[in-house]
């Protein structure tokens, strides 16, 4: 029983008369519950466990550091592992992103980035630059500032009023691009990218460039189901930000550390942010750790006189977490995980694309080891499901059926209904085939429930 455990983002009533699924151990890309049943971890826990479960070298690194120095803050002091990790991250980031501010997670990293943007412009003599632009449906965290930047009204309603001064612009969902924005046939990704980027400039001008501090964008947007950037999108956004003296924040809490086959998504898509926020895969989840990594330019005003960035968290840069992060990065090098993802991403995609023959599968999209499958009511028209239908499909059937068939992943409707997949970076063809097989069985059954008179496999 888990009567005293208040689970996150969980309908507690779901377990009033049913046991809570309880995961007891993991090894490689697999997890086992307390009944000894094995599941493929198709979501890396929560886009976190890049190197797989049960890596003894990471546990050993934690134990060794805990024996040597279990805790000390980085408030006006330092410790060797935080210094070493900051130096190492600075060698991996694009451009001059050399200033590493540690947090314990992604929401804190996003909060830190917004606070830095505000504080920086105040010191630069532009105190009215405080607003933030982000994309529709995008998720940036749960703390009050990060939640304010998030573009999901349903997640925000219970906590309003939130921090003011946030503005939403369209995301890069080409599958549902507004008519005329992606060429005559709706498939011109480059034209759609220009249109979407130009909406950012439109918002800056509407609000007044002297009031906008930053634009927060994920390399591949998570919520809504893995929206990759169209060609040229980020390059155009960079030009817009430069033109109006607005900071570009690359929110890489999910996309960093190998998820897209590079240490950072900005490197993968060849753009230069002013700030990167990251967490999750930095330690592969073995210990909580996040970071805001800023350019030298943004740190410069805080190096003089009595100025300081009056912000911090107790466990940011924790010695044990820093030691584990360093060991995790060693694993990346030793096993060449970024190259493994780049090599195997097309194969992973090819297995998922086999599901396109199912009537419920509308689009498969994503990059690296990060894919979404959008589910539709009608393939020819792209008609989506009503709220009640999505509820019955996702929570009434799919989530439970996928897990019961041995696949842990996410069936979600923040936006249109999707299944999201982000397996550990060590996965190979065996796991891709397993994922495809389980998805085919469950989605075929879902199709027959939706269209009982239609033969299996018929569009």
């Amino acid at each position: 029983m888990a009567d005293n455990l208040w689970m996150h983002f969980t309908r507690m009533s779901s377990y009033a008369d049913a046991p809570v699924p309880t995961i007891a151990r993991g090894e490689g890309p697999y997890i086992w519950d307390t009944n000894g049943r094995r599941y493929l971890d198709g979501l890396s826990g929560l886009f976190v466990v890049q190197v797989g479960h049960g890596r003894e070298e990471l546990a050993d690194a934690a134990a060794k550091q805990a024996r040597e120095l279990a805790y000390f803050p980085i408030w006006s002091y330092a410790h060797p592992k935080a210094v070493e990790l900051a130096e190492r991250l600075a060698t991996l980031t694009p451009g001059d992103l050399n200033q590493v501010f540690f947090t314990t997670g992604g929401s804190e990293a996003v909060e830190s980035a917004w606070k830095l943007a505000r504080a920086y412009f105040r010191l630069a003599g532009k105190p009215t630059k405080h607003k933030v632009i982000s994309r529709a449906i995008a998720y940036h965290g749960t703390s009050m500032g990060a939640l304010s930047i998030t573009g999901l009204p349903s997640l925000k309603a219970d906590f309003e009023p939130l921090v003011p001064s946030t503005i939403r612009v369209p995301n890069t969902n080409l599958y549902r691009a507004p008519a005329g924005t992606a060429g005559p046939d709706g498939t011109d990704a480059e034209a759609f990218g220009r249109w979407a980027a130009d909406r950012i400039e439109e918002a800056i001008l509407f609000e007044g460039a002297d009031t906008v501090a930053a634009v927060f964008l994920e390399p591949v947007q998570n919520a809504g189901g893995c929206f990759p950037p169209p060609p040229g999108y980020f390059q155009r956004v960079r030009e817009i930000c430069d033109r109006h003296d607005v900071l570009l924040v690359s929110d890489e809490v999910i996309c960093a550390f190998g998820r897209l086959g590079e240490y950072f998504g900005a490197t993968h898509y060849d753009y230069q942010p002013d700030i990167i926020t990251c967490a999750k895969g930095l330690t592969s989840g073995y210990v909580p750790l996040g970071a805001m990594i800023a350019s030298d330019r943004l740190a410069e005003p805080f190096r003089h006189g009595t100025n300081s960035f009056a912000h911090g968290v107790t466990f940011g840069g924790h010695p044990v977490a820093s030691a584990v992060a360093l060991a995790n990065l060693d694993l990346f090098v030793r096993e060449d995980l970024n190259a493994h993802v780049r090599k195997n991403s097309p194969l992973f995609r090819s297995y998922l694309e086999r599901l396109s023959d199912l009537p419920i599968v509308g689009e498969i999209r994503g990059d690296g080891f990060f894919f979404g499958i959008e589910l539709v009511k009608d393939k020819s028209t792209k008609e989506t499901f009503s709220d009640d239908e999505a509820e019955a499909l996702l929570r009434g059937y799919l989530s439970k059926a996928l897990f019961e068939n041995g696949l842990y992943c996410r069936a979600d409707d923040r936006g249109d209904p999707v299944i999201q997949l982000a397996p550990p970076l060590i996965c190979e063809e065996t796991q891709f085939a397993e994922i495809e097989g389980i998805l085919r069985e469950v989605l075929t059954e879902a199709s027959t429930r939706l269209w009982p008179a239609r033969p299996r496999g018929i569009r």
Side-chain angles (χ1 to χ4, degrees), residues 62-302:
K64 181 177 183 296
Q65 181 59 44
R67 284 191 291 266
E68 184 175 300
L69 177 67
Y71 174 75
F72 206 77
I74 53 174
W75 299 39
S76 301
Y77 295 86
H79 59 77
K81 291 303 182 186
V83 171
E84 184 181 354
L85 180 58
E87 291 175 350
R88 184 137 177 208
L89 289 172
T91 69
L92 302 177
T93 51
D96 68 339
L97 272 68
N98 297 316
Q99 306 303 313
V100 182
F101 185 96
F102 287 116
T103 67
T104 57
S107 289
E108 286 178 356
V110 170
E111 293 276 346
S112 302
W114 193 4
K115 290 180 77 172
L116 174 61
R118 287 186 169 202
Y120 168 78
F121 280 119
R122 187 173 292 275
L123 288 177
K126 299 180 179 181
T128 61
K129 289 179 77 71
H130 61 274
K131 297 177 183 176
V132 163
I133 294 171
S134 59
R135 295 186 291 203
I137 311 178
Y139 176 83
H140 292 285
T142 56
S143 54
M144 294 299 273
L147 185 59
S148 302
I149 298 172
T150 289
L152 292 158
S154 62
L155 290 186
K156 302 160 80 162
D158 288 347
F159 311 106
E160 293 175 325
L162 295 169
V163 183
S165 309
T166 63
I167 303 103
R168 232 63 60 213
V169 294
N171 56 50
T172 58
N173 183 0
L174 178 62
Y175 185 64
R176 298 198 176 276
T181 62
D185 62 356
T187 63
D188 189 336
E190 197 165 344
F192 177 60
R194 288 195 302 272
W195 175 84
D198 287 346
R199 301 289 71 75
I200 294 174
E201 183 163 43
E202 184 177 82
I204 292 171
L205 294 173
F206 181 80
E207 296 292 329
D210 60 337
T211 71
V212 179
V215 178
F216 279 68
L217 305 172
E218 298 164 275
V220 174
Q221 182 173 315
N222 170 38
C226 302
F227 305 145
Y233 172 79
F234 274 109
Q235 288 69 34
R236 196 170 183 89
V237 172
R238 179 72 268 177
E239 292 171 1
I240 291 166
C241 288
D242 288 342
R243 189 153 54 240
H244 300 291
D245 193 18
V246 171
L247 304 182
L248 174 54
V249 181
S250 188
D251 184 357
E252 306 210 15
V253 172
I254 287 176
C255 291
F257 305 109
R259 184 55 54 192
L260 302 178
E262 298 284 353
Y263 285 108
F264 295 100
T267 303
H268 180 63
Y269 292 119
D270 192 26
Y271 64 94
Q272 181 60 54
D274 299 291
I275 301 172
I276 285 176
T277 56
C278 58
K280 295 186 184 287
L282 176 54
T283 64
S284 285
Y286 281 65
V287 185
L289 184 66
M292 173 195 69
I293 309 174
S295 69
D296 292 328
R297 174 175 71 97
L298 298 185
E300 179 59 24
F302 299 95

Side-chain angles (χ1 to χ4, degrees), residues 316-341:
H318 193 285
V320 174
S322 299
V324 171
L326 287 163
N328 184 55
L329 293 173
D330 287 343
L331 273 175
F332 266 79
V333 174
R334 189 161 68 247
E335 299 181 5
D336 206 0
L337 288 178
N338 285 318
H340 178 79
V341 171

